[in-house]
Amino acid sequence: MKPEVLLMGPMYGPTMEALEAAFAVHHVSKAADRDAFIASLADRITAAASTAFRGMDAATMAMLPKLKIVSHFGVGVDSVDVAAASARGIKVTNTPDVLTDDVADLAIALLLAAVRRVPQGDRYVRDGKWADKVFPLTGTIQGKTLGIVGLGRIGRAIAKRAEAFNLKLAYQGPHRKADVSWPYHANAVSLARECDFLVAACPGGEPTRGLVSRAVLEALGPEGVFVNISRGSVVDERAMIELLREGKLGGAGLDVYDHEPRIDPAFFTLENVVLQPHVGSATHPTRRAMGQLVVDNLAAFFAGKPLLTPYN
Ligand code: NAP
């Protein structure tokens, strides 16, 4: 008999196939009554797999007394209550490194798209306006300063790309990094004051909620552009929308939002934002690699071997 895995929500198709091939998978998303379904499996389930949209909260853990591992699809584990898992002796694994380059690519794409108004230019050509009037000139990223909120794996990959685009760099985070020479700021307001553009690349969840506050965005200013590839919770979204509407923040390039995928419709009316549907890691090779880690961590757990990418 295959070992049993509780799948909290749908994943990348090939990952679901790999999970089905290796394990007896119980799909929470297919249950008519979620809690009754989980309760019916409670005496057997030792392993679960979760996603950014279908995580593992403390209440669900409490329903699964034999749970020992949550194999999470994604590097950000804010949809998993890691503190509750640790308290119950449940191991959480995530999928670091394999997605870093794709996410960093998207951050730079969003920055360029927002500053050079790439989507607006595309619409201008499609709407047949070019023949009548040249497209208005835009700002540039050349010689400007990019502030990175969270100089981790993705933040560093963004920095590497930014240097190739002649951007100067500065960063903010809990720890100053000994191996980089870019200016360090202990808080995000002081970082934003020194920068033309800001990119959030830190984790989401309660510890960073509202870190990119109204004051940070005001410090970035009317010529400033904010890029978010971390989590919607990191920015004060209401303040961001107001400042964008009033021209007090120049622009934004966003991959993540509060209340995804039903985002605030106010975004649709703003001309100075570039919007992506949370696709930082959404390329086939990266999603395949992430899925392989989800499967391999579960396989290691059932084989009694060390986990590949433990988070807690
Ligand atoms: P990581 O290597 O753990 O880096 C996270 C960085 O954030 C660390 O350098 C940490 O600083 C910093 N940080 C923690 N708390 C902070 C705070 N209060 N203020 C500023 N910085 C803080 O993680 P990663 O692999 O780069 O991933 C980062 C995040 O990107 C994930 O957690 C996830 O939310 C997001 N992400 C989004 C997508 C997408 O599709 N858009 C895809 C993948 C990941 P220290 O080093 O000083 O501790």
Side-chain angles (χ1 to χ4, degrees):
M1 231 181 95
K2 291 178 188 170
E4 295 183 281
V5 170
L6 187 68
L7 183 59
M8 302 313 294
M11 285 185 185
Y12 178 59
T15 301
M16 304 257 278
E17 286 166 24
L19 285 168
E20 296 277 7
F23 312 111
V25 179
H26 301 283
H27 296 262
V28 173
S29 60
K30 290 184 185 167
D33 182 336
R34 177 191 184 274
D35 286 359
F37 178 71
I38 292 172
S40 73
L41 298 163
D43 60 342
R44 316 208 299 270
I45 289 298
T46 57
S50 58
T51 74
F53 294 107
R54 294 282 182 270
M56 175 65 76
D57 57 20
T60 308
M61 286 178 213
M63 293 171 73
L64 297 165
K66 296 193 171 163
L67 189 65
K68 288 280 170 286
I69 180 170
V70 177
S71 183
H72 184 73
F73 187 97
V75 67
V77 291
D78 43 302
S79 69
V80 177
D81 191 330
V82 179
S86 298
R88 289 178 171 273
I90 298 168
K91 297 302 289 184
V92 177
T93 62
N94 65 343
T95 63
D97 298 315
V98 294
L99 45 63
T100 297
D101 285 324
D102 271 339
V103 181
D105 288 349
L106 189 75
I108 296 293
L110 282 169
L111 177 64
L112 276 167
V115 175
R116 299 294 303 271
R117 299 173 57 82
V118 175
Q120 293 87 342
D122 179 274
R123 282 201 296 276
Y124 198 80
V125 176
R126 284 173 200 276
D127 292 348
K129 293 181 179 166
W130 188 16
D132 298 328
K133 202 174 169 197
V134 292
F135 188 65
L137 303 194
T138 70
T140 178
I141 68 165
Q142 291 304 310
K144 305 282 185 182
T145 302
L146 174 66
I148 300 179
V149 176
L151 195 68
R153 287 170 291 239
I154 294 170
R156 284 171 184 265
I158 293 168
K160 182 178 166 190
R161 285 156 178 72
E163 285 196 311
F165 279 99
N166 301 323
L167 283 154
K168 289 175 268 194
L169 288 161
Y171 70 102
Q172 175 269 340
H175 307 104
R176 184 193 290 267
K177 308 294 176 194
D179 61 335
V180 304
S181 57
W182 310 311
Y184 169 74
H185 294 259
N187 77 74
V189 174
S190 117
L191 177 72
R193 259 192 223 118
E194 296 306 311
C195 293
D196 303 289
F197 315 128
L198 204 67
V199 57
C202 61
E206 287 314 311
T208 56
R209 185 171 296 281
L211 172 66
V212 179
S213 60
R214 176 181 289 274
V216 172
L217 297 170
E218 281 174 348
L220 203 53
E223 303 293 320
V225 169
F226 172 60
V227 172
N228 194 359
I229 52 83
S230 64
R231 286 290 183 264
S233 58
V234 167
V235 59
D236 179 342
E237 192 170 278
R238 183 170 297 205
M240 176 172 67
I241 289 170
E242 275 176 31
L243 294 170
L244 284 163
R245 191 181 280 139
E246 293 162 6
K248 293 177 181 164
L249 173 65
L254 306 171
D255 188 39
V256 287
Y257 314 82
D258 285 338
H259 314 302
E260 295 176 21
R262 288 181 182 75
I263 68 169
D264 190 328
F267 282 117
F268 310 147
T269 66
L270 295 170
E271 256 305 302
N272 49 355
V273 295
V274 179
L275 307 173
Q276 285 289 290
H278 199 153
V279 289
S281 67
T283 68
H284 286 293
T286 287
R287 287 286 163 91
R288 208 172 292 125
M290 292 165 68
Q292 194 61 52
L293 274 174
V294 170
V295 174
D296 290 348
N297 275 305
L298 289 168
F301 164 73
F302 285 117
K305 293 184 178 161
L307 302 173
L308 282 80
T309 48
Y311 183 81
N312 59 347

